[in-house]
Amino acid sequence: MRIAVFDSKPYDEQALNEANAAHGYELAFFGDRLSRSTVPLAAGFDVVCPFVNDRVDACTLEQLAQLGVKLVALRCAGFNNVDLAAAEKYGIRVVRVPAYSPEATAEHAFALLLTLTRKTHRAFNRVRDGNFSLDGLVGFTLHGKTFGVIGTGKIGQACIRIARGFGCRVLAYDLYPNAALAAELGFEYASLDEIFPQADILSLHAPLMANTHHLVNATSIARMKRGVVLINTSRGGLVDSQALLDALKDGQIGGVGMDVYEHEEGVFFEDLSGEALMDDILARLTTFPNVMITSHQGYLTTEALANIAGTVFGNVADFAAGKPLVNEVRAGA
């Protein structure tokens, strides 16, 4: 099997090459994101392996089919960037990596949260400048706070475990509540109407779908507890960025930790240090002392990269052998 890996970075190449030692596939790495303009790079390949910001739309899939590509092997959990109906139309199967390391992303959520609540980023910069004053560094403890979790999938569950370890009361929302899980982990399921006004911290772990797009918007923010800390390590499109900016300016939201951004394509994963940031909202968000932004690195651990690579090649191996694709995603499924 010949596999074209798009939007590839050095750490991807290392992990995929190491995992490929057990398979012997022919790999080609392209730094370009997969889109209708870069499809020609996939000529002669059986499989394309895109990442979260590649645009696998109907036009791209039609061209891939014409090139003979039969499998889109995502190396991420999200698949909102793939037109699944078009993939089915053109006879292209789509597989993903549903759970590469839930703990990696959950731990990163708390890295953002603790940085915000204890202001360690500001303290670090002060000490480097020889300023050992504590003025302006008063934070708050997590113990006893109400921690709201939106989405109780694998990452949400890992986040709940950590929150419970800090002594938080956890309220969670999910379309499919699991009473046994709640009893096991010691949290309560609640409606969004109940969570928003009570949560001191709100952590997002839902997939990006039509019914979750801009879940956090001007209306929902107004229902939240004033001064809430919002953490998003899921998908940028869950949050209306303009509404978020407005809420930060008037103090309705007390802090934000975000590893994703709804307009991150072409910005995150890239070195733009020598250029002007053209996204006015993102540029404004970077100026707030109570906003922590990381560039979609929640998954970026040695363990997660190895798990991603292993699952990608497992999916490809199953496809090549004609076995059931346990990680396949389909339109309407």
Side-chain angles (χ1 to χ4, degrees), residues 203-320:
S203 192
L204 306 181
H205 302 286
L208 179 58
M209 305 174 74
N211 63 338
T212 60
H213 180 254
H214 284 184
L215 176 71
V216 175
N217 54 48
T219 301
S220 61
I221 289 172
R223 292 152 54 197
M224 294 178 191
K225 188 173 185 178
R226 185 166 181 80
V228 64
V229 175
L230 177 69
I231 305 295
N232 187 10
T233 55
S234 184
R235 287 292 180 266
L238 297 177
V239 178
D240 181 333
S241 301
Q242 182 61 59
L244 176 67
L245 179 60
D246 294 340
L248 279 162
K249 289 164 69 176
D250 71 15
Q252 175 63 14
I253 289 183
V256 175
M258 49 191 284
D259 188 49
V260 290
Y261 175 62
E262 65 174 326
H263 306 300
E264 69 182 54
E265 181 183 345
V267 178
F268 283 18
F269 306 109
E270 307 301 333
D271 182 359
L272 305 180
S273 57
E275 307 173 27
L277 188 56
M278 303 306 292
D279 187 315
D280 290 341
I281 294 177
L282 182 59
R284 183 72 177 90
L285 287 170
T286 64
T287 68
F288 283 82
N290 57 339
V291 173
M292 278 295 299
I293 302 173
T294 51
S295 184
H296 213 133
Q297 72 176 76
Y299 76 100
L300 197 62
T301 65
T302 301
E303 295 83 357
L305 288 170
N307 290 339
I308 289 170
T311 302
V312 165
F313 291 134
N315 288 336
V316 172
D318 287 345
F319 175 78

Side-chain angles (χ1 to χ4, degrees), residues 5-310:
V5 181
F6 284 86
D7 200 7
S8 173
K9 298 292 187 287
Y11 45 81
D12 295 311
E13 295 183 26
Q14 180 178 345
L16 288 166
N17 280 325
E18 288 176 359
N20 191 40
H23 298 274
Y25 296 128
E26 184 178 342
L27 307 181
F29 297 98
F30 301 103
D32 305 86
R33 291 188 299 276
L34 178 60
S35 67
R36 60 186 66 184
S37 63
T38 60
V39 164
L41 294 171
F45 291 90
D46 309 292
V47 180
V48 294
C49 181
F51 197 44
V52 292
N53 289 323
D54 295 65
R55 292 188 179 182
V56 196
D57 56 16
C59 181
T60 300
L61 287 159
E62 181 181 14
Q63 293 181 67
L64 287 172
Q66 291 171 355
L67 293 174
V69 172
K70 297 296 184 184
L71 182 69
V72 172
L74 295 163
R75 59 181 192 279
C76 53
F79 50 90
N80 55 283
N81 57 330
V82 182
D83 188 328
L84 296 178
E88 186 174 340
K89 175 182 177 182
Y90 296 117
I92 296 177
R93 310 283 290 276
V94 181
V95 289
R96 65 178 182 131
V97 182
Y100 35 88
S101 178
E103 291 76 18
T105 304
E107 288 172 10
H108 190 72
F110 274 85
L112 293 172
L113 176 60
L114 288 167
T115 299
L116 288 167
T117 61
R118 299 308 301 268
K119 305 182 182 181
T120 50
H121 56 313
R122 299 179 65 187
F124 174 79
N125 288 328
R126 281 190 187 186
V127 170
R128 285 173 63 88
D129 290 336
N131 179 358
F132 297 90
S133 167
L134 298 182
D135 290 342
L137 299 182
V138 178
F140 67 84
T141 58
L142 296 183
H143 184 86
K145 296 297 187 294
T146 297
F147 193 95
V149 174
I150 310 300
T152 57
K154 292 183 182 298
I155 297 175
Q157 291 172 36
C159 202
I160 289 169
R161 289 186 178 94
I162 298 172
R164 292 291 294 139
F166 273 99
C168 295
R169 172 198 179 208
V170 178
L171 297 179
Y173 172 80
D174 197 286
L175 284 176
Y176 306 100
N178 184 332
L181 178 68
E184 176 190 348
L185 299 185
F187 70 92
E188 307 167 50
Y189 277 107
S191 68
L192 293 178
D193 287 335
E194 293 172 309
I195 293 174
F196 286 155
Q198 296 188 64
D200 299 293
I201 302 111
L202 189 66
S203 192
L204 306 181
H205 302 286
L208 179 58
M209 305 174 74
N211 63 338
T212 60
H213 180 254
H214 284 184
L215 176 71
V216 175
N217 54 48
T219 301
S220 61
I221 289 172
R223 292 152 54 197
M224 294 178 191
K225 188 173 185 178
R226 185 166 181 80
V228 64
V229 175
L230 177 69
I231 305 295
N232 187 10
T233 55
S234 184
R235 287 292 180 266
L238 297 177
V239 178
D240 181 333
S241 301
Q242 182 61 59
L244 176 67
L245 179 60
D246 294 340
L248 279 162
K249 289 164 69 176
D250 71 15
Q252 175 63 14
I253 289 183
V256 175
M258 49 191 284
D259 188 49
V260 290
Y261 175 62
E262 65 174 326
H263 306 300
E264 69 182 54
E265 181 183 345
V267 178
F268 283 18
F269 306 109
E270 307 301 333
D271 182 359
L272 305 180
S273 57
E275 307 173 27
L277 188 56
M278 303 306 292
D279 187 315
D280 290 341
I281 294 177
L282 182 59
R284 183 72 177 90
L285 287 170
T286 64
T287 68
F288 283 82
N290 57 339
V291 173
M292 278 295 299
I293 302 173
T294 51
S295 184
H296 213 133
Q297 72 176 76
Y299 76 100
L300 197 62
T301 65
T302 301
E303 295 83 357
L305 288 170
N307 290 339
I308 289 170

